[in-house]
């Protein structure tokens, strides 16, 4: 229940960016449909141009459908379902989902996947929620940072035959040594409007999957 509430709250904060992301393909579809109508009503319609425009309409429709599909996957409330999946693909989907939100905040996102497929077993939606929380936290931490400093780097690597590792690095002010041990505790937050549940839920999800999660200072700040 808490995990689902946390997902809805996070997506709710991103509603303006999501609306903008949807409006782009929908606006392009409308413009192209009006153009096709004009061409079709001309004395000698250019069928080749009409075909090109129809292909653009189909592409933009698929783009809008993909945005909605990703949103539904993150928001849906369903019993935990574990299966095998590629961790690289799951991380990429979250980075794609947050691209517009990052752009609106002036944050550059870069994802460096492992060279090989990282097949893991678990609940795909829950793992996405962990990555989503970490990236959003990083973006919020850099709100007052200089524009050239606002970047988040995601990496996935295979540690050994049992573990894969995801790292999310930001270039914000960092976490004080006093707070470093408490950031994953329930209700602990340094935000004025935070509930202090996001990282606690992330830790529960990771530990339920037999893994561990931690924070550490970045060498560059």
């Amino acid at each position: 229940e808490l995990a689902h509430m946390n997902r809805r709250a996070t997506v709710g904060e991103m509603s303006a960016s999501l609306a903008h992301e949807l409006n782009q393909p929908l606006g392009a579809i409308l413009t192209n449909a009006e153009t096709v109508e004009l061409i079709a009503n001309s004395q000698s319609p250019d069928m080749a141009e009409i075909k090109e425009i129809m292909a653009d309409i189909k592409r933009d429709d698929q783009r809008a459908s993909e945005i909605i599909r990703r949103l539904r996957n993150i928001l849906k409330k369903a019993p935990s379902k574990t299966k095998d999946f590629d961790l690289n693909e799951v991380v990429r989907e979250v980075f794609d989902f947050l691209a517009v939100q990052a752009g609106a905040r002036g944050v550059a996102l870069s994802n460096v996947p492992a060279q090989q497929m990282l097949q893991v077993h678990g609940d795909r939606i829950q793992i996405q929620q962990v990555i989503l929380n970490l990236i959003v936290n990083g973006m919020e931490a850099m709100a007052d940072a200089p524009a050239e400093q606002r970047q988040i780097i995601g990496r996935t690597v295979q540690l050994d035959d049992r573990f894969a590792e995801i790292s999310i690095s930001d270039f914000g002010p960092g976490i004080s040594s006093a707070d470093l041990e408490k950031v994953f505790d329930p209700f602990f937050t340094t935000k004025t409007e935070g509930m202090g549940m996001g990282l606690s839920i992330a830790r529960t999800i990771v530990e339920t999957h037999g893994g561990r999660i931690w924070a550490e200072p970045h060498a560059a700040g």
Side-chain angles (χ1 to χ4, degrees), residues 6 41 82 85 89 117 143 206:
N6 176 249
N41 288 332
T82 61
F85 58 85
E89 183 183 335
M117 177 180 170
V206 171

Side-chain angles (χ1 to χ4, degrees), residues 37-58:
E37 188 176 18
L38 288 172
I39 295 171
N41 288 332
S42 65
Q43 290 185 347
S44 53
D46 186 338
M47 295 308 297
E49 187 176 2
I50 288 176
K51 286 181 180 178
E52 286 181 16
I53 294 173
M54 294 304 291
D56 288 343
I57 289 175
K58 182 178 179 181

Side-chain angles (χ1 to χ4, degrees), residues 137-176:
N137 277 2
M139 289 195 291
E140 290 174 348
M142 295 186 295
D144 298 323
E148 68 277 5
Q149 190 176 312
R150 291 184 214 152
Q151 58 174 317
I152 288 180
I153 303 171
R155 291 186 176 87
T156 49
V157 296
Q158 183 167 339
L159 295 181
D160 51 38
D161 60 349
R162 292 186 62 239
F163 284 100
E165 180 182 85
I166 306 167
S167 65
I168 305 294
S169 303
D170 68 68
F171 295 83
I175 304 168
S176 70

